[in-house]
């Protein structure tokens, strides 16, 4: 077999350099965003008419007293403080779990060989000696903690950047929609590049440090590295569920009382839940989503590395081909950097109708450039032919076949993105039909919305199915793992587009609360409507990649647990399949009910304030924002624990008491049903949200016949949007973490389950 063109030294330079470039680029974008000043006395306003003068900035508003700037800064500060306070509270609870679970990993994996420090025969080659199980236990624990901390940092930094940028986006909207778009998008890019580069760099450093101890035992090394993915996803689960409950409790409370009962606009400062609602956008949609996509990236990398370590790359100690998944991610950072420049520097947005096409162009450009990048990487980083582990035997593979595996995942992601956009954007007939159904009330709106969500599963499922078939045919489970990595290779651009939505949403809220003119609110609403669609596209990517990642991890688990075949006709597997298919429903029931209970408390509090605070409706008295923030915080912290425990404990309980065959059935069942529910929930919620915005904007003759705000069809649309809130922002996005997390947890604990599992079947 020929060696790869790229030398090992080249690989050792390329990966960290690309990661550092990503971090440097994100810092540059942050500097450019911070040029928009939030304090009125910071620019030198000497009447010279310079570019950064407030005389110039405020020309459209006709204001020179800086009250708007001061007000925006105050609101931004309140949102930032609320978000930081919530995340610190959440991380205290999550920190306790992290330490407890780390101890569990060490004890369970260490007990496989009775805490022996002696070398043992290798799992996949009994003729060789490998490091003791105790070493795998220790290093798996370290990599779990590394993944968990990186995930927390990713989410926290994303939230800080978003709360830093929201008011700046509002202020830039006074100069025109193009300036506001660039500020929001650059802020999203800061988060996207920081997360992608940090995830890559930490993983690369961990591999090199672990290699000092493991030496030639690459199977043991990369088995220990799987803890990194487990750490990332377990933190993401709590971030997504906790943040999702927080944001939707506030959102539902604010909408039901403010819009439907009191007939006041969205984000009206008189609404007591308005600050909690804006805080929620940052802790749920930004921090939760950041941790979620980091988890997907970490797991797909780990799944690919585990399979590669027992293939010819690992057996022959070929360092460059071994790190092929990391090289793809490195090239992805450079591709996303070039793609970002198309949105911020090469093309300027001059009108509202150009926003959505510009964001879609980001997806197309990044996919086309990445295809070329993957082709080059596959040519220089892989030998012309090699073998891949395929359930006990080695399968001969060519480098062009591996290129096709990654490319099919990448393009499947784009297809899922565009199908999601078609079903959730109010520019197309599905959402317009949902809006039209509001003529006859909320019931028909709900029926149409549910039908849309179910129908929207069809093409994404076929896209995932085709990519699984192609990638498995060419390169077995390794092919599926790199297909998932292909879908996530443009993660920096995907995250930038995703984070742009909540930042624009916050910007609109700040404009309303600061009492800015109607024209400014129209611009921020246009940014927000495009952001809603792109958020749905981001969720589509996350769900699609989760399906592929979960399947790759499932394959690695089956190999590691020494299961020869997963036979659905055996009772052990079939009962697992049934229970696994039920789990996403149980999990969704928990998260939906949590949002409902928290929203109930929020509605009662908002009603109480409107009824008992004199002058609140007239705008002469201030609402008590802090109580609403506290309701959301308390509810989400308390309610995130049961769904989290369900996901984390299921593999442990099934593996210990029922064994690896039943567990393989549970994983397959949860994957198959979880993907469908996640897609339909996310798209139904997104469609209801944009149907409401379609009526509010009144941009077409059809929309104007349904409006204006406050009309009966609009009230029906608000009810649909409120029902959809927990579907698209709590249950739907959390389900992709459920299917990934159970699979990676099963893989990490596979040695323990294979040795000590199935207690009930051993007794009877």
């Amino acid at each position: 077999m020929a060696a790869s063109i790229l030398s090992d030294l080249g690989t050792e330079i390329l990966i960290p350099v690309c990661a550092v470039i990503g971090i440097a680029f994100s810092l540059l974008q942050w500097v450019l965003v911070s040029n928009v000043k939030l304090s009125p006395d910071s620019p030198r306003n000497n009447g010279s008419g310079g570019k950064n003068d407030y005389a110039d900035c405020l020309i459209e508003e006709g204001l020179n007293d800086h009250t708007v700037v001061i007000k925006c800064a105050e609101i931004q500060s309140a949102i930032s403080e609320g978000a930081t306070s919530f995340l610190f509270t959440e991380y205290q609870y999550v920190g306790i779990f992290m330490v407890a679970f780390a101890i569990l990993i060490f004890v369970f994996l260490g007990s496989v060989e009775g805490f022996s420090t002696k070398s043992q025969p290798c799992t996949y080659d009994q003729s060789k000696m490998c490091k003791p199980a105790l070493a795998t236990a220790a290093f798996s624990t370290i990599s779990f903690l590394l993944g968990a901390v990186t995930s927390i940092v990713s989410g926290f930094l994303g939230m800080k950047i978003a709360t830093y940028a929201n008011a700046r986006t509002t202020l830039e909207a006074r100069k025109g929609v193009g300036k506001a778009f660039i500020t929001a998008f650059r802020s999203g890019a800061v988060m996207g590049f920081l997360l992608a580069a940090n995830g890559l760099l930490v993983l690369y450093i961990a591999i090199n440090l672990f290699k000092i101890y493991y030496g030639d035992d690459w199977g043991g090394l990369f088995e220990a590295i799987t803890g990194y993915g487990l750490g990332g996803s377990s933190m993401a689960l709590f971030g997504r569920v906790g943040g999702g409950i927080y944001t939707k409790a506030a959102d539902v409370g604010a909408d039901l009382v403010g819009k439907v009962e009191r007939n006041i606009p969205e984000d009206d400062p008189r609404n007591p839940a308005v600050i909690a609602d804006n805080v929620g956008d940052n802790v749920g949609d930004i921090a939760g989503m950041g941790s979620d996509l980091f988890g997907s990236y970490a797991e797909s990398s780990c799944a690919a590395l585990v399979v590669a370590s027992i293939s010819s790359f690992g057996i022959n100690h070929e360092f460059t081909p071994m790190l092929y998944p990391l090289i793809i991610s490195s090239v992805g950072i450079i591709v996303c950097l070039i793609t970002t420049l198309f949105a911020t520097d090469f093309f300027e947005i001059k009108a509202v109708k150009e926003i959505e096409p510009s964001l879609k162009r980001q997806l197309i450009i990044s996919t086309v450039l990445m295809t070329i990048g993957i082709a080059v990487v596959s040519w220089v980083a892989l030998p012309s032919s090699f073998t891949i582990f395929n359930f006990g035997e080695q399968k001969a593979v060519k480098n062009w076949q591996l290129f096709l595996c990654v490319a099919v995942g990448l393009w499947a992601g784009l297809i899922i993105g565009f199908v999601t956009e078609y079903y959730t954007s109010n520019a197309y007939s599905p959402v317009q039909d949902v809006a039209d159904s509001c003529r006859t009330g909320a019931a028909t709106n709900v029926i149409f919305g549910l039908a849309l969500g179910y129908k929207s599963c069809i093409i994404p499922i076929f896209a995932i199915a085709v990519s699984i078939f192609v990638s498995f045919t060419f390169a077995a489970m390794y092919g599926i793992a790199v297909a998932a990595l292909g879908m996530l290779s443009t993660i920096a651009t995907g995250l930038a587009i995703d984070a742009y939505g909540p930042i624009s949403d916050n910007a609109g809220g700040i404009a309303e609360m600061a009492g800015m003119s109607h024209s400014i609110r129209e611009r921020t609403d246009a940014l927000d409507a495009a952001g809603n669609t792109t958020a749905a596209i981001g969720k589509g990517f996350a769900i699609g990649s989760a399906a592929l990642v979960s399947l790759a991890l499932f394959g690695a688990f089956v190999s590691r647990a020494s299961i020869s075949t997963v036979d659905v006709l055996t009772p052990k597997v079939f009962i697992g399949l049934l229970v696994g298919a039920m789990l996403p429903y149980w999990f969704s029931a928990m998260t939906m009910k949590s949002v409902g209970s928290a929203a109930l408390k929020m509605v009662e509090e908002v009603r109480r304030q409107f009824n008992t605070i004199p002058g609140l409706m007239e705008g002469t008295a201030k609402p008590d924002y802090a109580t609403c923030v506290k309701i959301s915080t308390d509810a989400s912290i308390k309610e995130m624990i049961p769904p989290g425990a369900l996901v984390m404990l299921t593999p442990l309980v099934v593996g210990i008491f029922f064994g690896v065959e039943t567990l393989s059935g549970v994983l397959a069942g949860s994957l198959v049903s979880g993907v469908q529910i996640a897609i339909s929930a996310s798209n139904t919620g997104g469609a209801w949200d944009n149907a409401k915005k379609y009526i509010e904007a009144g941009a077409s003759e059809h929309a104007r016949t349904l409006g204006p705000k406050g009309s009966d069809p609009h009230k029906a649309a608000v009810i649909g949007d409120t029902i959809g809130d927990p579907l698209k922002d709590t249950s739907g996005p959390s389900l992709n973490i459920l299917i990934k997390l159970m699979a990676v947890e099963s893989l990490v604990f596979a040695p323990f389950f294979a040795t000590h599992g199935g207690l009930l079947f051993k007794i009877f």
Side-chain angles (χ1 to χ4, degrees):
M1 289 183 198
S4 57
I5 296 169
L6 182 66
S7 69
D8 290 357
L9 179 63
T11 304
E12 284 171 10
I13 295 168
L14 176 71
I15 295 171
V17 163
C18 288
V20 169
I21 288 170
I23 294 167
F25 184 73
S26 71
L27 293 175
L28 171 66
Q29 298 302 304
W30 181 76
V31 168
L32 292 169
V33 169
S34 61
N35 284 340
V36 181
K37 301 298 177 195
L38 260 188
S39 49
D41 53 350
S42 49
R44 293 187 305 279
N45 195 353
N46 53 16
S48 61
K51 205 167 185 185
N52 288 325
D53 260 332
Y54 271 95
D56 176 50
C57 295
L58 297 168
I59 198 155
E60 285 190 32
E61 287 293 308
L63 294 174
N64 268 332
D65 60 1
H66 312 312
T67 51
V68 168
V69 186
I70 292 165
K71 223 168 188 181
C72 285
E74 284 172 359
I75 298 162
Q76 184 225 33
S77 173
I79 294 170
S80 182
E81 280 171 24
T84 307
S85 160
F86 167 73
L87 285 182
F88 273 131
T89 309
E90 182 183 71
Y91 293 155
Q92 282 169 15
Y93 286 87
V94 167
I96 296 165
F97 157 80
M98 198 164 80
V99 173
F101 208 76
I103 294 166
L104 200 69
I105 292 171
F106 182 75
V107 171
F108 275 29
L109 293 184
S111 68
V112 171
E113 295 287 327
F115 297 98
S116 165
T117 53
K118 293 191 179 81
S119 294
Q120 56 180 353
C122 298
T123 310
Y124 300 99
D125 184 357
Q126 298 288 320
S127 62
K128 291 181 181 171
M129 297 301 284
C130 286
K131 300 292 182 188
L134 194 62
T136 304
F139 283 101
S140 292
T141 307
I142 293 165
S143 56
F144 167 77
L145 292 170
L146 264 180
V149 170
T150 311
S151 182
I152 285 173
V153 169
S154 299
F156 186 76
L157 287 177
M159 180 279 296
K160 291 307 275 184
I161 291 151
T163 52
Y164 182 80
N166 50 17
R168 288 171 166 80
T169 304
T170 311
L171 294 176
E172 286 292 273
R174 298 171 306 179
K175 301 180 188 176
V177 74
K179 298 279 188 191
F181 171 81
I182 286 176
T183 302
F185 191 82
R186 278 194 167 134
S187 312
V190 177
M191 178 185 176
F193 282 92
L194 260 185
L195 190 143
N198 277 344
L200 175 66
L201 196 59
V202 173
L203 182 57
Y204 177 73
I205 291 168
I207 289 168
N208 278 291
L209 290 177
F210 284 19
K211 214 166 82 172
I212 296 168
Y213 171 79
Y214 275 99
D216 287 344
D217 179 12
W218 284 15
L221 162 63
F222 291 104
E223 188 177 308
I225 284 288
T226 53
Y228 185 69
L230 176 59
S233 253
S234 53
M235 295 305 107
L237 176 72
F238 291 108
R240 261 297 193 199
V241 173
I245 294 167
Y246 185 108
T247 180
K248 290 305 115 182
D251 201 355
V252 171
D255 280 0
L256 281 182
V257 184
K259 284 170 151 180
V260 178
E261 293 179 12
R262 295 285 170 166
N263 212 10
I264 59 175
E266 189 166 359
D267 297 314
D268 191 295
R270 293 171 291 178
N271 194 324
V274 73
I275 291 288
D277 185 7
N278 281 288
V279 168
D281 290 336
N282 295 292
V283 297
D285 295 349
I286 296 272
M289 176 207 40
S291 294
D292 178 4
L293 281 174
F294 164 75
S296 284
Y297 162 74
E299 283 161 337
S300 56
S301 301
C302 291
L305 291 167
V306 165
V307 180
S309 69
I310 50 177
S311 303
S312 63
F313 303 153
I315 295 163
N316 302 331
H317 298 104
E318 298 170 50
F319 186 70
T320 297
M322 184 71 219
L323 293 191
Y324 176 69
L326 273 67
I327 299 171
I328 290 173
S329 303
S330 306
V331 172
I333 290 173
I334 306 302
V335 163
C336 292
L337 192 154
I338 297 163
T339 308
T340 301
L341 298 177
F342 279 91
T344 57
D345 296 81
F346 298 158
F347 296 104
E348 192 182 339
I349 285 178
K350 295 187 174 71
V352 164
K353 65 177 186 293
E354 294 173 17
I355 298 169
E356 217 164 291
S358 175
L359 292 168
K360 277 158 69 177
R361 210 165 36 231
Q362 286 285 297
L363 293 173
I364 296 165
I365 293 167
S366 62
T367 303
V368 170
L369 291 178
M370 195 62 209
T371 307
I372 300 164
I374 294 163
V376 173
V377 167
S378 302
W379 177 52
V380 301
L382 295 172
S384 56
S385 64
F386 43 90
T387 62
I388 293 294
F389 183 84
N390 181 25
F391 299 116
E393 50 195 51
Q394 295 288 339
K395 178 184 172 74
V397 180
K398 302 265 190 257
N399 57 2
W400 62 266
Q401 291 176 312
L402 215 49
F403 156 69
L404 287 177
C405 293
V406 186
V408 80
L410 177 67
W411 284 90
L414 187 70
I415 290 165
I416 292 169
F418 278 129
V419 170
T420 306
E421 191 228 3
Y422 173 72
Y423 280 105
T424 56
S425 168
N426 55 28
Y428 303 105
S429 60
V431 170
Q432 291 172 11
D433 289 346
V434 172
D436 194 64
S437 71
C438 295
R439 289 178 192 280
T440 47
T444 43
N445 179 27
V446 170
I447 293 165
F448 269 71
L450 288 171
L452 178 147
Y454 298 147
K455 194 178 175 185
S456 70
C457 292
I458 300 167
I459 298 173
I461 292 300
F462 275 118
I464 293 168
V466 168
S467 54
I468 287 169
F469 181 78
V470 171
S471 49
F472 188 85
T473 304
F474 282 145
M477 279 298 171
Y478 186 71
I480 293 171
V482 292
L485 211 58
M487 208 178 270
L488 291 164
S489 58
T490 53
I491 188 172
T493 295
L495 265 170
I497 292 171
D498 226 344
Y500 152 89
I503 291 167
S504 302
D505 192 358
N506 260 207
I510 291 170
E512 184 73 50
M513 284 185 272
M516 294 170 88
S517 74
H518 182 64
S519 63
I520 304 297
R521 183 70 219 222
E522 276 185 343
R523 286 171 196 163
T524 55
D525 277 354
L527 293 170
D528 183 23
N532 262 343
T533 304
T534 56
I537 291 171
K539 283 166 192 152
F541 265 97
I543 295 161
S545 62
L548 294 176
V549 168
S550 179
L551 186 57
L553 291 164
F554 175 70
F557 162 73
V558 167
S559 301
R560 184 64 189 84
S562 308
I563 303 169
S564 50
T565 52
V566 179
D567 186 355
V568 180
L569 295 175
T570 57
K572 279 184 185 178
V573 175
F574 194 77
I575 58 168
L577 206 60
L578 278 176
V579 171
M582 172 274 295
L583 283 173
Y585 290 93
W586 188 2
F587 179 84
S588 298
M590 283 172 138
T591 50
M592 293 283 285
K593 193 159 183 290
S594 298
V595 171
S597 324
L600 203 64
K601 290 178 193 156
M602 188 67 76
V603 166
E604 285 168 357
E605 174 58 25
V606 175
R607 277 182 187 152
R608 184 195 67 76
Q609 290 198 32
F610 273 121
N611 293 331
T612 58
I613 299 176
L616 184 55
M617 268 305 284
E618 294 73 29
T620 53
K622 265 192 167 184
D624 176 11
Y625 297 127
T627 304
C628 290
V629 169
K630 188 175 187 312
I631 287 172
S632 263
T633 303
D634 292 349
S636 53
I637 296 296
K638 189 178 102 191
E639 301 282 356
M640 75 178 181
I641 294 165
L646 173 70
V647 177
M648 299 301 291
L649 294 177
T650 298
L652 292 175
V653 171
V654 174
I656 292 167
F657 292 105
F658 298 94
V660 286
E661 287 94 347
T662 308
L663 182 53
S664 65
V666 169
L667 295 179
S670 65
L671 166 61
V672 170
S673 88
V675 171
Q676 329 280 338
I677 305 170
I679 293 173
S680 65
S682 293
N683 291 350
T684 294
W688 275 327
D689 194 349
N690 273 345
K692 176 201 71 176
K693 285 195 163 58
Y694 175 74
I695 295 171
E696 288 175 350
S700 67
E701 190 56 45
H702 174 241
R704 283 190 286 276
T705 63
L706 299 167
K709 287 183 183 180
S711 66
D712 285 342
H714 177 248
K715 283 184 175 174
V718 170
I719 290 168
D721 173 38
T722 310
I723 297 167
D725 275 337
L727 283 172
K728 74 178 169 68
D729 289 322
T730 312
S731 297
S734 304
L735 279 172
N736 61 60
I737 305 176
L738 173 138
I739 58 177
K740 294 180 304 187
L741 184 51
M742 293 207 325
V744 74
E745 188 182 338
S746 301
L747 173 60
V748 169
F749 286 104
F752 177 78
F753 296 151
T755 312
H756 302 299
L759 292 179
L760 284 180
F761 292 130
K762 284 174 183 171
I763 295 166
F764 299 114

